[in-house]
Amino acid sequence: VMLGFCHGLLLGSMWFIYLSFVQVGQAFLSFQWDILLVEAGFLAILVAPWMSMRCLSSLDSPFGPSLFMVKWLAFRLMTGSGLVKLNNSWTDLTAMTYHYETTCLPNILSWYMHQLPPSFHQAEVIGTFVGEIFLPALIFSSRPYRIAGAIIQIMMQFVILSTGNYTFF
């Protein structure tokens, strides 16, 4: 796949092997991301070309419903990540005031982010709600809005990665 080859049969074989690992691993491979990988892998089989070996071949474009299911998966992942944050520490806008010092893998940027004023952290929480609950709806809109939504999501993920606050989602 990384070399540009992604035939449906190849992806199906890889999906079956990973599904076998998940079944054998049981409790060790039953986290949210493992189930997400199984689902995304299956959807990759549906959108992969079957007539040529190239990923971006014009010979066969993805079937409409399978492309919708990929968009639906991305929408559910991001919206679900936002909806689970609707608890006390997030709704009272205080979650980010202590998040950077309690993250699993803090880095130097985490320390600097933690030193910012509480109003900045409140704005971060609001931005997270907007980015994770409302912006995923742009996945189903027209191309310019999808691109804008994707850019915002990528920037949000970059901030998460650069501040070291990546943990269970």
Side-chain angles (χ1 to χ4, degrees), residues 42-99:
F42 183 76
L43 292 176
I45 297 167
L46 298 178
V47 297
W50 286 80
M51 300 303 230
S52 68
M53 290 295 286
R54 287 278 175 206
C55 285
L56 299 174
S57 172
S58 62
L59 294 175
D60 38 11
S61 59
F63 184 55
S66 59
L67 195 56
F68 174 79
M69 289 189 291
V70 171
K71 290 179 181 181
W72 180 246
L73 174 65
F75 174 78
R76 283 187 306 130
L77 174 66
M78 289 310 298
T79 306
S81 295
L83 291 176
V84 299
K85 291 178 175 77
L86 293 176
N87 61 32
N88 290 341
S89 65
W90 283 89
T91 54
D92 66 4
L93 307 180
T94 61
M96 298 305 287
T97 56
Y98 57 86
H99 179 73

Side-chain angles (χ1 to χ4, degrees), residues 23-43:
Q23 291 299 314
V24 170
Q26 294 178 355
F28 299 105
L29 291 173
S30 63
F31 294 105
Q32 180 183 9
W33 53 82
D34 296 307
I35 305 306
L36 176 67
L37 280 174
V38 169
E39 186 175 356
F42 183 76
L43 292 176

Side-chain angles (χ1 to χ4, degrees), residues 18 21 50 103 107-108 114 116 120 122 147 153 158 165:
Y18 187 74
F21 286 147
W50 286 80
T103 188
N107 58 31
I108 191 69
H114 179 69
L116 294 171
F120 179 83
Q122 291 173 343
I147 291 172
Q153 291 291 337
F158 178 75
N165 64 7

Side-chain angles (χ1 to χ4, degrees), residues 5 9 11 21 25 34 39 44 66 72 77 99 103 105 107 111-113 122 132 134 138 152 155 162-163:
F5 298 104
L9 189 59
L11 292 176
F21 286 147
D34 296 307
E39 186 175 356
S66 59
W72 180 246
L77 174 66
H99 179 73
T103 188
L105 300 168
N107 58 31
W111 185 85
Y112 286 109
M113 291 294 282
Q122 291 173 343
E132 291 185 350
F134 300 109
L138 294 177
I152 293 169
M155 289 187 324
S162 63
T163 58

